[in-house]
Amino acid sequence: MSNLNIGIMGASGRMGRMLIQATLNHPNATLAGAYVRSISSLIGADAGEFIGAGRTGVALSTLSAQNLGVLIDFSLPEALDEVLAQCIEHKVPLVMGVTGLNAEQEAKLKNAAQHIAIVYAGNYSTGVNLSLNLLATTARVLGLNADVEIIEHHHKHKIDAPSGTALMMARAVAESRGQQLNNVLVHGRQGSAKRELGQIGMHALRGGEIIGEHTVEFIMDGEIIEITHKAQSRATFATGAVRAAIWVANQPAGLYDMKDVLGLQ
């Protein structure tokens, strides 16, 4: 198998640095681009030296997808239009790891998937995606006999709340119970109204340097089932994203997620 040329969008961020390392570590991947904002003072720095991995010959630069096999984007929602335009123009598959996209941006992503192959997931961890299967099964069996509450913890620097992973988990529960998530999702609680049947409670906690912890509680009369995932290293997400890049490089145009990558569909 020949090596896949991978570009990293958002290369100077926490996840970007991990993605550079994961790409360098993968036996079938080659780091072909590492992209930052045009105002970045890091432009021109060697990507490998930037993360302490030694010289690679790939300089941090503004986005150019021309010679890529796949682009991995863990930057910010504001970069979406440029990323999609470049990928469509050069027919480059995309692994989208940006969370916090609004409805209009998600629609743009779906439209782009008519032209290129896109993996779009709120979380690229193998463990999280296995957890989604467990959640769907549990929700399907218990139905509305269980009250569902989701508690997620992340570091104080995280911009979006709730996390993309927490929303994926909530959606897995709702869809397995035949619900529309927007109709049943409740963010925290305040006031004197009692809990309504079928609600899914969402609670986002932020503090310190917590990488990511998610717990879904199925609360019944007499017993509670908890399904928890704890990320101990961001490298888990980066490794999963590179795995997705290797997979999507050979797929036809369409919108995929990590269940497709892992063969869980």
Side-chain angles (χ1 to χ4, degrees):
M1 177 179 179
S2 59
N3 276 21
L4 176 68
N5 283 346
I6 293 178
I8 308 298
M9 183 68 178
S12 62
R14 292 182 178 209
M15 274 303 301
R17 297 193 293 270
M18 290 285 186
L19 286 162
I20 291 172
Q21 188 65 66
T23 301
L24 294 174
N25 289 345
H26 199 288
N28 300 121
T30 296
L31 182 68
Y35 309 113
V36 295
R37 293 187 296 175
S38 59
I39 61 173
S40 175
S41 61
L42 296 169
I43 289 177
D46 185 90
E49 292 179 342
F50 171 64
I51 66 167
R55 187 166 182 80
T56 62
V58 176
L60 297 177
S61 67
T62 55
L63 177 60
S64 175
Q66 186 170 1
N67 297 312
L68 300 182
V70 174
L71 177 66
I72 302 176
D73 181 11
F74 274 72
S75 59
L76 294 170
E78 291 76 15
L80 181 68
D81 287 348
E82 180 186 11
V83 166
L84 293 180
Q86 286 264 353
C87 287
I88 292 172
E89 178 183 356
H90 299 292
K91 302 188 186 308
V92 174
L94 173 65
V95 174
M96 172 57 61
V98 177
T99 57
L101 298 182
N102 60 36
E104 181 182 354
Q105 290 171 319
E106 290 197 341
K108 289 180 179 180
L109 201 64
K110 291 178 182 177
N111 289 335
Q114 298 177 30
H115 306 282
I116 57 174
I118 300 175
V119 177
Y120 176 42
N123 193 299
Y124 283 86
S125 155
T126 299
V128 162
N129 285 278
L130 290 172
S131 297
L132 293 175
N133 267 22
L134 294 173
L135 290 169
T137 299
T138 305
R140 188 165 52 249
V141 171
L142 298 180
L144 297 182
N145 292 318
D147 297 323
V148 177
E149 298 286 312
I150 300 174
I151 305 99
E152 57 105 337
H153 299 71
H154 281 88
H155 53 87
K156 60 188 175 186
H157 312 289
K158 187 169 179 60
I159 297 173
D160 55 313
S163 70
T165 301
L167 289 172
M168 288 170 64
M169 291 178 165
R171 190 168 290 110
V173 170
E175 291 178 353
S176 294
R177 302 198 302 189
Q179 299 172 306
Q180 291 291 326
L181 181 59
N182 290 341
N183 296 335
V184 296
L185 188 62
V186 176
H187 296 276
R189 286 192 175 78
Q190 184 177 9
S192 57
K194 73 174 186 178
R195 191 187 203 284
E196 295 181 9
L197 180 67
Q199 284 183 343
I200 297 175
M202 178 71 74
H203 311 277
L205 284 67
R206 297 289 178 268
E209 297 295 334
I210 301 170
I211 293 174
E213 298 180 3
H214 298 81
T215 295
V216 181
E217 296 188 359
F218 294 85
I219 306 169
M220 296 164 283
D221 295 340
E223 60 182 336
I224 299 174
I225 297 173
E226 292 185 353
I227 296 176
T228 297
H229 179 271
K230 296 183 179 183
Q232 297 180 320
S233 170
R234 288 182 181 85
T236 299
F237 311 130
T239 300
V242 174
R243 178 174 182 172
I246 298 294
W247 180 86
V248 78
N250 298 312
Q251 304 305 316
L255 190 61
Y256 306 95
D257 60 23
M258 276 300 284
K259 290 183 181 179
D260 297 303
V261 175
L262 298 173
L264 297 175
Q265 296 284 26

